[in-house]
Amino acid sequence: GMQRVLRAALLRAPCALRTHHASFSTEAARVIDKLPAKVIRDLQGVVGAASVSESLALRETMAKDESYHGAADGIFPPQVVVFPRSTEEVAEIVKVCVAHRTPIIPSGACTSLEGHLAALHGGVSINFRDMNKVLEVNQDDMGRRD
């Protein structure tokens, strides 16, 4: 039936996809070590200690969206959540993550329908909650700049 068709398609998929998919079925995939203290310090240097959280409750909240994936596969929280206030801070956070080869998971209202918030390999959730100012409204093209 359908399960056989899906299994056959998965076996023909690239190796990275097979590994990625297989990780959903293991509890161990959800247990990821904490980020090194240097990464946390570097992130705090960008946005301040109050805007960097390792709280499990918050990390789990940031991993939940409106998709079925959490109920079906479990949640995959990031290792840390960061709340930037400007595009400059976002750019600096990205630089820190790149320097430390740390995955980035952007998030907003956590309303994804496709499981985009799952931090399958851990990483830094950049939540844009505090970037809530409208900087410009352009009536000519009906756009705005946040």
Side-chain angles (χ1 to χ4, degrees):
M2 181 56 83
Q3 200 170 33
R4 192 168 4 134
V5 171
L6 291 173
R7 183 172 294 140
L10 182 60
L11 291 174
R12 287 191 305 270
C15 182
L17 178 59
R18 287 197 306 265
T19 303
H20 176 78
H21 183 272
S23 70
F24 284 135
S25 63
T26 64
E27 185 66 29
R30 289 180 215 123
V31 178
I32 296 178
D33 292 335
K34 291 177 68 168
L35 285 176
K38 169 92 170 103
V39 178
I40 302 298
R41 282 192 308 272
D42 288 353
L43 292 169
Q44 290 172 339
V46 172
V47 296
S51 294
V52 176
S53 178
E54 294 181 88
S55 158
L56 179 59
L58 179 62
R59 292 184 302 116
E60 287 180 346
T61 298
M62 292 297 124
K64 294 177 185 172
D65 57 19
E66 299 298 319
S67 73
Y68 72 90
H69 297 290
D73 302 317
I75 60 168
F76 294 83
Q79 292 157 293
V80 66
V81 181
V82 181
F83 298 96
R85 292 171 297 279
S86 68
T87 55
E88 293 80 15
E89 286 184 351
V90 173
E92 291 302 314
I93 292 166
V94 169
K95 287 177 186 176
V96 168
C97 291
V98 168
H100 293 285
R101 301 181 51 87
T102 302
I104 299 168
I105 306 93
S107 68
C110 300
T111 57
S112 167
L113 299 175
E114 300 295 332
H116 297 110
L117 299 179
L120 299 175
H121 302 287
V124 175
S125 173
I126 303 176
N127 186 278
F128 298 97
R129 166 193 84 184
D130 294 345
M131 294 180 65
N132 57 6
K133 294 180 178 72
V134 176
L135 303 177
E136 175 184 333
V137 175
N138 187 331
Q139 290 181 336
D140 293 336
D141 67 5
M142 297 178 14
R144 73 177 201 192
R145 187 168 66 103
D146 295 337

